[in-house]
Amino acid sequence: MTQPQPGGASEIDSRDVVELILADHREFERLFRALRNRDENRQARLRELADLLVAHAEAEEREVYPELKREAPQDREEIAHSFEEHQEGHEALAALQEISDADQDTFEERLEELVETVTHHLDEEERDVLNAARENVDVATRERLGDAFLQARNDIIAQSPGEPEKVRELIATARDQDSSSQG
Ligand SMILES: [Fe+2]
Ligand SMILES: [Fe+2]
């Protein structure tokens, strides 16, 4: 069974990393609306969301944030904070994936927690990281970053990174790194 490919960054006609990231953010919101709808195939939408959420965050961390830190050192703190918020998003995703029956009230409760966690991150990232990138990073660099972001995002999505056991693994790895970096 092939998964429907998520829209967002892969569907827009721009190479600017800021525009590509924003397009994915709007795709998250579309998937949240679908997941709130009881008539939808919620488990299918959740698989789409999980793949996109993990791939989007990884592509940002790998291809975008390190370069933005170099280009705009004043935004370092916001960028470090984004890593923490990705982890929180993955934790809320894993909690939702534990609910096998999408008609349960618990599914909707955990969905709202996920929506709140991710929406908070999208708002902050747009305000503090992307607005700054638009001001401080030139178009040629934003396009180079956009190409790298999209390539990484699509490569990661192709590996179904949102499968529940992979999400749990990702959370555990990030926790290990966090505790070892705190010594
Ligand atoms: Fe993002
Ligand atoms: Fe992010």
Side-chain angles (χ1 to χ4, degrees):
M1 194 177 75
T2 47
Q3 268 279 102
Q5 288 298 306
S10 45
E11 282 182 341
I12 66 160
D13 191 20
S14 171
R15 291 174 55 212
D16 182 338
V17 69
V18 173
E19 298 307 322
L20 292 167
I21 289 177
L22 288 175
D24 270 354
H25 290 183
R26 302 293 81 83
E27 179 71 1
F28 292 134
E29 289 162 358
R30 186 187 71 78
L31 287 165
F32 289 152
R33 283 194 295 277
L35 278 160
R36 279 174 166 155
N37 180 354
R38 288 182 180 215
D39 299 329
E40 270 281 351
N41 181 341
R42 286 172 146 176
Q43 295 296 359
R45 297 291 83 74
L46 180 57
R47 284 195 295 275
E48 262 179 89
L49 175 74
D51 281 342
L52 183 59
L53 196 65
V54 172
H56 177 94
E58 286 212 7
E60 285 179 344
E61 292 181 8
R62 202 192 291 172
E63 303 294 342
V64 186
Y65 290 169
E67 175 102 7
L68 289 186
K69 264 200 236 175
R70 278 194 292 275
E71 293 274 334
Q74 67 276 21
D75 301 327
R76 271 168 181 268
E77 244 170 70
E78 274 82 13
I79 293 170
H81 186 56
S82 279
F83 279 88
E84 285 164 31
E85 291 188 343
H86 286 170
Q87 175 77 350
E88 287 165 15
H90 293 153
E91 284 169 359
L93 172 66
L96 180 59
Q97 288 177 322
E98 282 171 13
I99 313 301
S100 52
D101 178 359
D103 291 327
Q104 270 185 43
D105 290 344
T106 327
F107 183 92
E108 295 190 340
E109 284 163 23
R110 293 192 182 184
L111 172 63
E112 289 316 309
E113 283 165 26
L114 174 66
V115 170
E116 201 182 302
T117 305
V118 173
T119 304
H120 169 86
H121 171 62
L122 304 183
D123 286 348
E124 280 201 357
E125 191 171 71
E126 289 176 19
R127 205 178 51 229
D128 299 332
V129 180
L130 299 182
N131 279 345
R134 219 187 241 125
E135 281 174 25
N136 303 323
V137 181
D138 62 67
V139 176
T141 305
R142 295 206 312 261
E143 290 191 343
R144 182 166 52 75
L145 289 178
D147 292 346
F149 168 80
L150 192 60
Q151 180 76 54
R153 168 201 184 274
N154 292 344
D155 288 350
I156 300 166
I157 286 178
Q159 298 159 26
S160 307
E163 285 171 5
E165 67 275 20
K166 292 182 186 170
V167 177
R168 285 195 297 269
E169 227 171 87
L170 199 64
I171 292 168
T173 309
R175 276 193 195 138
D176 284 352
Q177 281 167 357
D178 202 36
S179 57
S180 65
S181 70
Q182 281 168 10

